[in-house]
Amino acid sequence: MSSVLIGLALLGCVGALGAWAVMSRRPRRQAPPMHAASRPPAAATGTAGQTAHAALAAATLQRAARSEAAAAPVSRPTAEPPPEALASFHWFSPDSLAAERQQALVTTLRTIPRPPAALHQLMSPQFLARASSGELSDLITGEVQIAVKVLATVNAPFYGLRQPVNSIGQAVTFLGLNTVRSICLQTLLDGAFKAANDPQRQAYTQIWAASALASELCAKLAPRLALPDPGALVAQVLLSFLGHLGAASLLLRETGARAPGADLLARCRWSQQALGLTPAEIGGLLLREWSLPESIVEQVCSIDRVLVTPANTLPSRHSQSLAVAYLCARLGERLTAADAPADLADFDPQHAPGEDFFHLRGYLAAPGLARLNDHLQGADIQRCLQALRQPQATAIGA
């Protein structure tokens, strides 16, 4: 009897030890629940179990492959190299000039008369951002030349008004703040560039015509593309032609000739060789001499710098505004050139040939500008451009 009891006791000990061994191999704390998408399937047996394990292994390998691909650098197609004429051109900043050369250039620019003080009010950041039609009307009323130009514009045959507009306030309301601001700027700056001879007169007339067309085109495109601060952008487009006026004045004075052709690259190369700087940088020096805010000066100079600046070097939102400003400026020049096309019906900025449009194509690939060409080809913009070109073509040919 005692032997039987001893045997049962031994069996009980063995069972307890086995249970303890099994329990010791289990985790002490339950792991946090997995996401449903990543939780492995319940254990299976036989053929079904083998299939489940195979599927789990395949999914694990796929996740590992995706993780490696995400960690690896993204492979992008090699960018098209710029044309030789563009690649060989090096844009100089004013700081790259010798001190005496820069000072000589600034001294020459000081011979260009300063515009009226109203320019500073018109271009102040506060006025550009928050000016109402009433404030703009007050500014215009105090400048007789501007008032005359605004009234002449609103009563032009293009608008087909049944009764003439005699009030500046009505003219501002009808034309819109951006258009009136451009008229004000052009009138204020026109006094600084009085032609002394026929070559100067012809050069100035064509540049002013291009600036007016470019700024009006920008005034129509910027709001439709939902670009920030369209009024400021329109003003910057017009001011970007200031350097071209200054460069034309200096080149005619020093060399007796203008920079050749409508292509920006050719004119920049010519100006930089003859004067040391491109028209955009000359315009920047002039705006600084006139004490305009440095932020505005840089924004104006940046427009023509698109010629040599790849799109991926600038913030997306800023690059889109620059792209539209640059495109409007180049179209203004081309549509007022002697060999200008009849219209823009066949023009596609994404496929425009020439060095001037090489880097621009990268800017225009932004999704926010996907409808740019649709707006550009709109019937209302085409009619506006045609109307603007008619009086300008007559003036240029005179």
Side-chain angles (χ1 to χ4, degrees):
M1 183 69 179
S2 59
S3 60
V4 173
L5 292 175
I6 293 172
L8 289 174
L10 290 173
L11 285 174
C13 291
V14 170
L17 288 172
W20 178 83
V22 172
M23 291 297 293
S24 66
R25 288 195 296 267
R26 291 181 181 177
R28 293 178 180 271
R29 183 179 298 174
Q30 186 179 0
M34 294 185 182
H35 189 277
S38 60
R39 186 183 298 133
T45 58
T47 304
Q50 294 173 359
T51 303
H53 284 297
L56 179 59
T60 302
L61 289 174
Q62 289 175 357
R63 284 197 298 271
R66 285 196 296 268
S67 299
E68 291 179 4
V74 178
S75 176
R76 293 187 174 89
T78 303
E80 177 188 358
E84 175 58 28
L86 184 60
S88 62
F89 177 67
H90 300 286
W91 184 289
F92 295 157
S93 68
D95 293 339
S96 66
L97 295 182
E100 59 274 11
R101 180 77 182 274
Q102 183 175 344
Q103 186 56 47
L105 190 54
V106 169
T107 301
T108 305
L109 289 173
R110 285 174 180 164
T111 62
I112 299 174
R114 279 177 171 262
L119 175 68
H120 292 83
Q121 181 180 352
L122 191 64
M123 288 307 301
S124 69
Q126 296 80 10
F127 196 84
L128 283 170
R130 296 188 294 273
S132 64
S133 58
E135 291 172 316
L136 189 56
S137 298
D138 291 342
L139 175 65
I140 295 171
T141 303
E143 299 287 339
V144 177
Q145 286 183 318
I146 299 177
V148 170
K149 187 69 177 288
V150 169
L151 290 175
T153 300
V154 74
N155 290 304
F158 169 69
Y159 292 106
L161 299 179
R162 294 182 180 180
Q163 294 182 343
V165 172
N166 299 314
S167 163
I168 294 297
Q170 290 179 334
V172 172
T173 300
F174 183 84
L175 294 173
L177 288 173
N178 292 337
T179 296
V180 174
R181 186 182 283 113
S182 295
I183 295 172
C184 294
L185 276 175
Q186 185 169 358
T187 306
L188 288 172
L189 295 173
D190 185 53
F193 294 92
K194 292 296 183 183
N197 49 54
D198 287 340
Q200 271 192 348
R201 187 173 300 106
Q202 186 175 5
Y204 292 171
T205 301
Q206 186 162 357
I207 294 171
W208 278 130
S211 71
L213 194 150
S215 59
E216 185 64 21
L217 182 58
C218 186
K220 292 189 175 300
L221 287 176
R224 299 182 190 194
L225 294 167
L227 296 177
D229 301 324
L233 190 64
V234 171
Q236 291 160 19
V237 168
L238 194 145
L239 286 176
S240 72
F241 286 86
L242 183 64
H244 295 274
L245 288 165
S249 175
L250 298 181
L251 286 169
L252 285 168
R253 185 186 307 177
E254 296 189 11
T255 68
R258 288 181 61 191
D263 292 339
L264 179 63
L265 177 60
R267 284 180 285 120
C268 285
R269 191 184 297 274
W270 177 276
S271 175
Q272 196 163 266
Q273 288 175 348
L275 304 173
L277 292 174
T278 63
E281 302 301 340
I282 289 174
L285 290 179
L286 192 55
L287 289 173
R288 291 183 182 97
E289 282 298 305
W290 290 350
S291 303
L292 263 72
E294 183 62 26
S295 60
I296 292 178
V297 175
E298 273 302 304
Q299 289 164 354
V300 170
C301 292
S302 294
I303 294 176
D304 279 9
R305 290 177 189 155
V306 169
L307 173 69
V308 295
T309 308
N312 58 8
T313 61
L314 298 172
S316 169
R317 198 61 172 163
H318 182 53
S319 68
Q320 290 178 36
S321 295
L322 274 182
V324 173
Y326 180 85
L327 175 63
C328 291
R330 304 291 76 79
L331 289 179
E333 292 172 338
R334 293 188 175 222
L335 289 172
T336 53
D339 57 348
D343 52 42
L344 295 176
D346 299 324
F347 180 78
D348 182 357
Q350 278 284 16
H351 300 92
E355 291 85 359
D356 288 4
F357 294 93
F358 176 79
H359 285 304
L360 179 64
R361 290 194 288 271
Y363 289 75
L364 297 182
L369 301 180
R371 297 199 60 203
L372 172 62
N373 204 37
D374 293 339
H375 295 309
L376 197 59
Q377 299 297 335
D380 58 333
I381 289 185
Q382 294 295 329
R383 285 195 301 270
C384 177
L385 294 179
Q386 289 291 340
L388 285 169
R389 292 176 66 190
Q390 290 173 2
Q392 292 165 0
T394 304
I396 292 170

